Amino acid sequence: MCMRDGLLAGFAAGLLAAGVLALPATSPAAAAEGRYGFGTPATPEELARFFAIPPDGRGLPPGRGTVARGATVFAEQCVACHGEKLEGIPTPGIGGDKLIGGRGSLATKTPVKTVESYWPYATTLFDYVKRAMPFSAPGSLPDDDVYAVVAYILSQAKIIGPDDTLDATTLPKVAMPNRDGFFPDPRPERRLYR
Amino acid sequence: MTHPPVPIDEKARRQIDGMIAAEARHLAARRAAEDACPCQDGMFPAGPAASRRRFLFAAGSAGAAAVAAPALAQTAPPGAQYFAPQADPTKEQGRPVAGDGGYGSRSQFETEVRWRYPTPNEHTSWSMTPLDHMLGNLTPSGLHFERHHGGIPTIDPNRHLLFVHGLVDGPRKFTMADLKRFPSVTRRHFIECSGNGLTEWNKPTLKTVQGTHGLLSTSEWTGVLFSTIAREVGLKDEAAWVLAEGADAAVMTRSIPMEKMLQDAILAYGQNGEAIRPEQGYPLRLLLPGFEGNTHIKWLRRLEVSDKPFMTREETSKYTDLMADGKARLFTLEMDAKSVITFPSGEMKLPGPGFYTIAGFAWSGRGRIQSVDVSTDGGKTWVPARLDTVPEPICTVRFSLPWTWDGKPAVLQSRCTDETGYIQPTLRELVAIRGANGPFGSVYHLNAIQSWAVAADGSITNVHA
């Protein structure tokens, strides 16, 4: 038995002997494994409400959405902040980002960063809309509507076609224009050591 | 002696104009509170006489509005309560013990506040720490800078749970009481937003150090190391990243390399000796010493262990650094070494030639500060400053240097070196690397040497030198 295990077992035994805490004591099994045993197992049901969608699409929910349906969702849920032409509305009290345009601007003196010009993964757009949009009622859109509004934005950005449908299979395959536009952090910058 | 002009786009210009206006409003309010005595003008925090005058003014206005008000309506600054100043506190009893209900507040004569950057939407915005009026190394919790993306949630700690799952042997959930049973650590660390100074790439823009550097704060943090929790749940061999998720309206997420999580990540529930403030993530936040502020997920509710990063919005479309060639740096997590002189600094005024103590902060996301040099001639010559606090890993230090001002124009700069040997660069050096695509190219990670010009009349301004 290594020293840490011994310490933990001793700690657990001390707790039991003193009976000082109303909390469940460390289980002998946990202590034997070098654990404290605090906390409780999380069930699949409890974890089911969480999501985070990486580029490979793991965890994308069932459902599907068309560009046409997305136009309706956008008009109902998004246009007030992001504008009829997805151009963004910077005025006080609103402040929705510009969503499309700017393609080819990144290497110029006036780069314009949008979903179209800058975002490397379509899965990120799905994740963010499902997570935090619309701003006035975050996380309220049904998955079908999230797929649909993502399809609408990507179609307005001419990244997918007007008749395309997005679902868990097709979304991760969307080729974003700036997919290869990122590279790992090279800092600390070597030039600063010359 | 500045770099070539940096063109900026319309959005950048709007943001910068907004910050200039917000700082101007804050300065106007501060000036209204200051004593008329020119020798004190802007140099020191507003003293008792000045503050009293402001309160009397405020009281007078209220009295005029309510015609027959028997007593003057008294006001106190945020975080304070008003009490009538005593003519001679040695001749009558003071306030009773615990008359404050058991939780104290700051003096009504202390008026420093954070001011908010006027984003169009007040739920997604930031506020700045008044570094020019900090008296020690720790930031008072009520003046710690803020950056929120969906407002400040109100969370009942008795209902708050932290889930840890993904590539682990056994997913678990922890109550706050569970987390507090684990062995804890207490460490002093700074947090700096990587957007600190974003207005300053192109030209000197904001006037005060609160505006140019105020997205920096230092606290003593208490919590349980992630490595302790990792042993509890058991990591799979392929576990390489951890997604941290907040319980705010933005449901903020960032992917963190496992190496960092196991090195020194803290699940923090304590700040400066008490529970962390709601604005800082109550009841639980992730503390990643030396990483950019956005990664220190507040209101932490979930850690998902993964083999790859998730490429969330905040780590792709934001918090990436676009270079001049149109390619962007990804996961630029560490905060490089940086320092700034806070006395004297922008909008202060030296009353005349003579002795002053130049003072400021230095910090590095990669370790301890090793040394700080100060220049009074715009970087031509440097003198070692004294470190006034003991350097700790990834924590600010206070530095100072005695200085006799001869009354001639001067340019004050500080330059720090951290224990890795990294030397804080000039702005010209930094722009030469990051490119000149302006605040909407390489927005983040401006850690260049700051210059304050001292004019012959003693006034201090933000300059690029």
Side-chain angles (χ1 to χ4, degrees):
Chain A
M1 181 183 279
C2 77
M3 182 184 285
R4 200 175 113 258
D5 290 342
L7 286 173
L8 281 173
F11 172 59
L15 276 182
L16 288 168
V20 288
L21 294 173
L23 296 162
T26 303
S27 74
E33 292 167 14
R35 296 189 290 114
Y36 293 90
F38 305 155
T40 46
T43 65
E45 294 71 34
E46 287 174 312
L47 296 172
R49 70 188 170 102
F50 298 126
F51 67 93
I53 313 297
D56 65 10
R58 233 178 336 175
L60 275 170
R64 58 196 292 277
T66 62
V67 171
R69 169 63 189 155
T72 305
V73 176
F74 191 89
E76 290 169 354
Q77 303 281 356
C78 318
V79 75
C81 293
H82 292 285
E84 296 278 352
K85 299 184 186 324
L86 292 69
E87 74 277 18
I89 301 179
T91 53
I94 301 178
D97 274 353
K98 178 179 173 69
L99 298 176
I100 61 172
R103 223 191 274 209
S105 74
L106 297 181
T108 70
K109 295 293 182 189
T110 52
V112 178
K113 295 193 249 179
T114 68
V115 170
E116 176 181 351
S117 69
Y118 197 61
W119 290 41
Y121 303 103
T123 47
T124 306
L125 183 60
F126 183 96
D127 178 285
Y128 184 67
V129 172
K130 179 173 165 64
R131 177 176 300 282
M133 289 289 120
F135 197 83
S136 55
S140 63
L141 293 182
D143 290 334
D144 282 348
D145 284 355
V146 179
Y147 279 118
V149 80
V150 166
Y152 176 70
I153 294 166
L154 296 178
S155 140
Q156 291 299 107
K158 298 190 168 47
I159 295 170
I160 66 172
D163 300 321
D164 285 347
T165 297
L166 291 181
D167 58 24
T169 305
T170 54
L171 178 71
K173 293 178 182 160
V174 171
M176 298 294 278
N178 198 39
R179 167 66 184 82
D180 298 322
F182 296 84
F183 65 100
D185 183 9
R187 295 176 310 149
E189 285 127 337
R190 305 299 186 271
R191 197 187 299 181
L192 296 177
Y193 290 86
R194 290 205 286 261
Chain B
M1 295 310 293
T2 184
H3 57 80
V6 178
I8 54 175
D9 69 10
E10 187 193 346
K11 183 174 177 184
R13 189 167 290 115
R14 270 199 314 272
Q15 286 209 350
I16 290 170
D17 288 349
M19 288 194 76
I20 292 170
E23 186 189 50
R25 282 195 294 276
H26 176 73
L27 282 170
R30 189 194 283 180
R31 283 199 193 96
E34 272 172 0
D35 198 333
C37 170
C39 68
Q40 296 281 316
D41 188 15
M43 184 172 156
F44 301 110
S51 298
R52 190 154 59 247
R53 210 170 52 117
R54 173 179 167 184
F55 295 127
L56 290 172
F57 174 76
S61 305
V67 177
L72 296 178
Q74 304 291 3
T75 60
Q81 296 179 50
Y82 178 84
F83 301 101
Q86 294 170 280
D88 183 350
T90 69
K91 300 301 183 207
E92 58 176 330
Q93 298 300 319
R95 298 195 297 277
V97 174
D100 53 15
Y103 193 95
S105 55
R106 67 172 171 173
S107 165
Q108 66 203 47
F109 302 112
E110 297 302 316
T111 57
E112 287 310 316
V113 291
R114 305 178 280 217
W115 55 262
R116 181 178 81 83
Y117 163 68
T119 42
N121 188 308
E122 63 189 12
H123 291 96
T124 171
S125 189
W126 55 92
S127 74
M128 331 274 281
T129 294
L131 294 176
D132 39 352
H133 294 280
M134 293 293 98
L135 299 178
N137 199 16
L138 295 182
T139 308
S141 299
L143 292 174
H144 194 294
F145 85 86
E146 302 165 90
R147 172 65 169 119
H148 311 306
H149 297 73
I152 303 159
T154 302
I155 296 174
D156 179 350
N158 296 313
R159 295 179 56 202
H160 188 73
L161 294 171
L162 173 70
F163 288 86
V164 184
H165 66 115
L167 294 176
V168 299
D169 291 338
R172 287 182 91 76
K173 62 177 185 286
F174 301 94
T175 64
M176 290 306 299
D178 291 332
L179 292 171
K180 288 176 181 175
R181 289 185 75 192
F182 288 105
S184 69
V185 295
T186 294
R187 295 174 183 173
R188 285 186 280 270
H189 292 298
F190 73 83
I191 302 178
E192 183 183 18
C193 177
S194 53
N196 204 15
L198 69 86
T199 55
E200 306 302 310
W201 282 102
N202 187 21
K203 59 180 184 188
T205 301
L206 296 181
K207 296 174 184 301
T208 64
V209 71
Q210 183 172 11
T212 59
H213 290 73
L215 297 175
L216 166 79
S217 300
T218 297
S219 293
E220 182 183 87
W221 302 99
T222 296
V224 53
L225 289 171
F226 172 77
S227 57
T228 302
I229 301 297
R231 289 194 183 90
E232 207 62 17
V233 296
L235 299 179
K236 303 279 195 193
D237 286 341
E238 60 273 33
W241 291 79
V242 177
L243 179 94
E245 181 177 273
D248 59 331
V251 203
M252 177 62 62
T253 46
R254 287 293 301 258
S255 307
I256 314 299
M258 180 62 82
E259 182 185 5
K260 176 65 176 177
M261 293 295 288
L262 292 176
Q263 181 180 314
D264 58 1
I266 302 170
L267 314 183
Y269 45 77
Q271 179 187 9
N272 297 332
E274 61 181 351
I276 58 177
R277 293 289 172 100
E279 314 94 277
Q280 295 307 321
Y282 184 87
L284 188 69
R285 90 173 300 169
L286 183 59
L287 211 288
L288 295 172
F291 272 24
E292 61 184 3
N294 180 255
T295 61
H296 300 226
I297 299 294
K298 295 178 287 192
W299 315 293
L300 184 68
R301 73 169 189 181
R302 185 165 80 96
L303 296 169
E304 180 175 351
V305 181
S306 169
D307 55 345
K308 295 190 190 75
F310 287 79
M311 301 298 181
T312 71
R313 173 188 186 256
E314 306 303 318
E315 60 206 22
T316 53
S317 77
K318 311 287 180 184
Y319 299 102
T320 47
D321 306 329
L322 182 61
M323 300 292 118
D325 66 357
K327 302 291 185 189
R329 294 176 176 184
L330 192 66
F331 294 115
T332 49
L333 299 170
E334 284 101 348
M335 299 304 296
D336 287 317
K338 188 169 174 181
S339 70
V340 67
I341 291 171
T342 55
F343 180 85
S345 61
E347 290 294 296
M348 294 181 182
K349 188 171 186 181
L350 302 179
F355 176 83
Y356 297 94
T357 302
I358 295 170
F361 289 101
W363 63 100
S364 169
R366 293 196 168 86
R368 292 176 182 81
I369 288 295
Q370 182 111 332
S371 60
V372 181
D373 298 319
V374 168
S375 174
T376 58
D377 56 13
K380 292 191 193 70
T381 60
W382 295 91
V383 179
R386 187 178 77 169
L387 301 187
D388 297 325
T389 56
V390 177
E392 297 178 59
I394 312 181
C395 185
T396 45
V397 296
R398 297 299 309 242
F399 68 83
S400 65
L401 182 75
W403 176 51
T404 301
W405 181 45
D406 59 10
K408 292 179 184 149
V411 175
L412 308 183
Q413 297 180 337
S414 65
R415 177 184 72 185
C416 68
T417 303
D418 72 16
E419 64 180 335
T420 72
Y422 178 96
I423 302 173
Q424 184 183 6
T426 64
L427 184 61
R428 177 182 280 275
E429 287 173 321
L430 210 55
V431 169
I433 297 170
R434 306 281 177 83
N437 283 0
F440 274 72
S442 182
V443 183
Y444 306 103
H445 295 285
L446 172 57
N447 68 316
I449 291 169
Q450 167 71 36
S451 302
W452 303 114
V454 185
D457 70 353
S459 59
I460 316 288
T461 51
N462 179 14
V463 296
H464 281 181

